[in-house]
Amino acid sequence: HICNRDLENDIAVQAVPGGTGFNSALGDGIDVLLGGGRKQFLPSTTLKGGRSDNRDLVAELKALGYNYAASKDELAAADSSKRLIGLFNDSHLSYDLDRANGKAPTEPSLTEMTTKAIDVLSKKDKGFFLMVEGGRIDHALHDTNAKRALQDTVAFDNAIKAAIDKMKSLDPDLKNTLIVVTADHDHTMTFNGYSAKGNNILDLVKEGPEKSIKRDINGNAITTLAFGNGPNRKDTRTDLTSDQVTADDYLQETGVKLGSETHGGGDVMLFASGPNAELFKGTIDNTAVFAKVKSALGL
């Protein structure tokens, strides 16, 4: 409910019931909000780069009875009978690869946030709506960093599985639970060559039973993954090794040089389980998904 997504401070105040800028369409307020963005909720006197109006939105929410979690341990310990806000990074949450490697030890995983959100929301008598986003998949793809993009995609898949398992423990046959999974766009990442079955997707193209390295016209190895466009195209290619291309920070090669890799024009997947899941079959316009969710829920 904002004209520009970069107006992050204005978006944050919309979540504080009764406060200046509160979005009245939220009724008595949201029940769960988990992620990064701590700078948008704390004053600059408390956090460098924080709010210039010096409003402490965390304090305001706590005064309204919200639990506040700033770490994975605090999230796990939070009383599930109360509304909950969790802010685990000053800016974006860390990539799951970095979190798993111990570089962000206090941040919860997407799965941990998802299951905690369901714990809180399932206490409501009239059901609930929960949206979970694997938002950093997009960021890694714009950086042409396939390893972090794929790891965050696995983390998203794990969160989906956890949500399904959690809801089946509450609603065994999902008779009253609709789960929809989709994306808003694709990217320009693509596959090269005919890699042998079982070859690491992040590795060089290795073909045939002997897994011989596929080389270009200049005799240089090529990666299995590449991007149609992006910022790091080299004028002269050099040979590559498996150690180089499977490293955490390796940026895949790109075709057309741009300041940033862009979104692509391909179709994305759309999955649904539960009541009226059949509404989501076939090829449909992305803007129709919202209307189909409303229709499925009888809203």
Side-chain angles (χ1 to χ4, degrees):
H1 295 86
I2 202 76
C3 65
N4 189 320
R5 67 181 182 180
D6 291 332
L7 298 174
E8 294 166 322
N9 283 355
D10 295 329
I11 295 170
V13 298
Q14 291 190 346
V16 183
T20 302
F22 174 61
N23 179 8
S24 61
L26 296 175
D28 61 353
I30 57 177
D31 296 291
V32 179
L33 182 63
L34 304 173
R38 203 154 35 209
K39 287 190 296 186
Q40 277 65 56
F41 286 80
L42 293 175
S44 59
T45 53
T46 301
L47 178 64
K48 184 178 180 181
R51 300 185 61 84
S52 58
D53 62 6
N54 283 327
R55 280 183 67 180
D56 187 335
L57 304 187
V58 171
E60 293 180 30
L61 287 163
K62 289 170 71 174
L64 293 169
Y66 281 82
N67 273 325
Y68 172 63
S71 68
K72 62 180 297 181
D73 291 340
E74 291 179 3
L75 177 69
D79 184 350
S80 296
S81 67
K82 295 182 179 181
R83 297 196 287 186
L84 174 64
I85 179 171
L87 304 172
F88 309 109
N89 194 302
D90 293 348
S91 183
H92 297 294
L93 290 177
S94 300
Y95 287 112
D96 191 74
L97 179 66
D98 299 318
R99 185 195 62 80
N101 287 342
K103 296 179 181 178
T106 65
E107 292 185 23
S109 67
L110 191 62
T111 291
E112 289 168 327
M113 288 187 283
T114 299
T115 54
K116 187 65 175 188
I118 294 174
D119 284 340
V120 175
L121 294 171
S122 61
K123 303 294 190 294
K124 298 177 68 67
D125 295 333
K126 295 183 179 180
F128 62 87
F129 171 85
L130 170 66
M131 191 189 89
V132 177
E133 181 182 15
R136 301 227 64 191
I137 301 169
D138 176 78
H139 292 170
L141 289 168
H142 281 306
D143 287 341
T144 65
N145 183 200
K147 188 169 186 176
R148 285 187 172 84
L150 294 177
Q151 178 66 29
D152 264 57
T153 303
V154 170
F156 183 53
D157 190 56
N158 290 338
I160 296 166
K161 182 181 185 303
I164 293 172
D165 291 345
K166 190 79 171 178
M167 289 312 304
K168 283 186 174 179
S169 72
L170 302 169
D171 179 17
D173 298 318
L174 298 183
K175 291 182 178 179
N176 299 295
T177 304
L178 174 66
I179 299 175
V180 179
V181 181
T182 191
D184 53 348
H185 56 76
D186 78 335
H187 280 262
T188 68
M189 188 167 72
T190 189
F191 292 88
N192 280 325
Y194 300 91
S195 286
K197 184 177 180 180
N199 191 44
N200 185 344
I201 195 171
L202 292 167
D203 205 346
L204 305 171
V205 176
K206 298 176 182 178
E207 298 181 337
E210 69 284 358
K211 293 189 176 181
S212 58
I213 294 176
K214 179 71 173 179
R215 298 185 179 277
D216 65 13
I217 194 171
N218 296 314
N220 296 322
I222 61 175
T223 57
T224 305
L225 296 177
F227 285 84
N229 60 41
N232 58 298
R233 181 183 180 186
K234 298 178 180 178
D235 293 329
T236 303
R237 292 191 70 252
T238 57
D239 205 11
L240 299 167
T241 68
S242 290
D243 286 343
Q244 283 178 296
V245 301
T246 58
D248 292 353
D249 296 327
Y250 181 73
L251 304 181
Q252 271 64 29
E253 290 184 283
T254 61
V256 178
K257 184 177 181 180
L258 295 176
S260 172
E261 186 270 346
T262 72
H263 299 165
D267 289 344
V268 298
M269 302 302 293
L270 174 64
F271 305 97
S273 296
N276 296 310
E278 67 277 1
L279 295 175
F280 300 88
K281 303 301 181 184
T283 302
I284 63 174
D285 191 86
N286 63 336
T287 58
V289 175
F290 171 70
K292 289 181 180 294
V293 170
K294 286 185 64 178
S295 176
L297 299 179
L299 298 176

